[in-house]
Amino acid sequence: MSQLLSGQVALVTGAAAGIGRATAQAFAREGIKVVVADLDAAGGEATAELIRAAGGQARFIRCDVTRDAEVEALVAATVEAYGRLDYAFNNAGIEIEQGKLADGKESEFDAIMGVNVKGVWLCMKHQIPVMLAQGGGAIVNTASVAGLGAAPKMSIYAASKHAVIGLTKSAAVEYAKKKVRINAVCPAVIDTDMFRRAYEADPKKAEFAAAMHPVGRVGKVEEIAAAVLYLCSDNAGFTTGIALPVDGGHTAL
Ligand SMILES: NC(=O)c1ccc[n+]([C@@H]2O[C@H](COP(=O)([O-])OP(=O)(O)OC[C@H]3O[C@@H](n4cnc5c(N)ncnc54)[C@H](O)[C@@H]3O)[C@@H](O)[C@H]2O)c1
């Protein structure tokens, strides 16, 4: 039992695909009303439709998390649609780097920091006042094992995910007494469409990815969703400001 209360409301960004879609579906299976947010309207509408087809409640709202006015409107539309905001999973993120640090482009830096850091900051900035006004809530931000250690050839991405953890910890301490818990989840390599496209073409890369994890395989999107629901639930009532690796033992190496 996740101990989430049926009838509550969750907002999930980056929910058109991958980890975000699986987590939106997991919230809905618990009877939570879900706002599915993403830049990708086709994928986001498809996630909302999958939830409704399974008997859940969901609606898609298109949002670019790098735009203050759009995030403000997203949070306002969530409250207008469902009356409150209990859980937020700030998960939209990008990874577009091609090489080592000295090969990086300014445009890559700005784009990665814009979505992964500014996006999470803007989401929390607009979600927290709603949660404070209603007496509490729980936020989970998607960091990565690249937020806990080195990520060769992904240094900007690693910096962005370290920053997500910094925002998470600072906000968690600021709002701890106000019953708003804020945590981060740190996946290792997860079997998403993006992963399959990159690795199915090259079985050696897939073997390497599996070997990065002591359990001998990459993770499933459902395994990240389960961790997010746990962190949102009352079972995690004494847990705030953590960056939880969900990584098949990778960070224990
Ligand atoms: N897949 C992995 O192995 C892995 C590992 C560690 C961390 N992560 C993190 O998990 C999160 C989800 O990744 P995923 O693997 O499901 O990838 P994904 O590409 O399937 O999902 C990311 C979603 O974010 C959306 N998005 C991108 N920019 C946006 C913007 N400006 N505004 C709103 N939405 C935007 C995309 O449209 C997409 O639907 C990301 O933060 C990623 O960094 C993924």
Side-chain angles (χ1 to χ4, degrees):
M1 274 301 286
S2 75
Q3 295 211 339
L4 297 173
L5 294 180
S6 182
Q8 290 183 315
V9 178
L11 168 59
V12 181
T13 71
I19 292 167
R21 171 177 284 176
T23 306
Q25 290 176 299
F27 273 124
R29 280 194 292 274
E30 298 292 323
I32 307 292
K33 298 167 194 160
V34 185
V35 169
V36 170
D38 206 291
L39 258 186
D40 170 6
E45 292 285 10
T47 299
E49 189 47 43
L50 281 168
I51 290 172
R52 290 191 293 265
Q57 288 190 65
R59 67 177 61 190
F60 169 68
I61 298 175
R62 189 177 182 282
C63 176
D64 179 345
V65 296
T66 68
R67 314 287 295 213
D68 187 18
E70 291 192 30
V71 177
E72 185 176 19
L74 169 68
V75 173
T78 301
V79 175
E80 198 182 316
Y82 291 136
R84 50 191 295 117
L85 174 62
D86 300 286
Y87 311 118
F89 181 37
N90 299 321
N91 164 74
I94 57 169
E95 204 306 281
I96 52 171
E97 281 164 277
Q98 304 288 337
K100 293 185 182 176
L101 188 138
D103 303 318
K105 299 189 188 79
E106 185 182 14
S107 58
E108 288 173 345
F109 186 96
D110 290 344
I112 293 169
M113 289 294 173
V115 181
N116 297 7
V117 184
K118 185 182 175 192
V120 167
W121 175 71
L122 282 175
C123 285
M124 288 202 288
K125 176 178 162 58
H126 292 294
Q127 293 156 355
I128 287 169
V130 175
M131 292 179 175
L132 291 175
Q134 71 191 18
I139 296 174
V140 178
N141 299 317
T142 303
S144 166
V145 293
L148 299 168
K153 295 192 182 170
M154 295 170 69
S155 59
I156 306 168
Y157 180 79
S160 76
K161 294 302 189 179
H162 277 74
V164 168
I165 293 173
L167 290 171
T168 300
K169 289 182 175 178
S170 303
V173 172
E174 288 171 359
Y175 298 103
K177 287 205 172 63
K178 299 287 184 186
K179 297 196 169 80
V180 179
R181 293 184 303 100
I182 305 172
N183 293 291
V185 69
C186 299
V189 181
I190 304 302
D191 185 4
T192 58
D193 289 348
M194 197 201 299
F195 167 81
R196 280 189 205 173
R197 275 196 302 276
Y199 287 82
E200 267 178 3
D202 185 347
K204 276 207 185 108
K205 276 191 183 167
E207 271 172 40
F208 176 75
M212 279 171 58
H213 310 85
V215 298
R217 64 171 175 85
V218 299
K220 300 173 188 164
V221 288
E222 294 80 9
E223 290 168 326
I224 305 305
V228 175
L229 264 64
Y230 161 70
L231 288 171
C232 287
S233 76
D234 285 348
N235 287 327
F238 198 49
T239 300
T240 196
I242 69 159
L244 178 68
V246 184
D247 68 349
H250 176 72
T251 51
L253 282 171

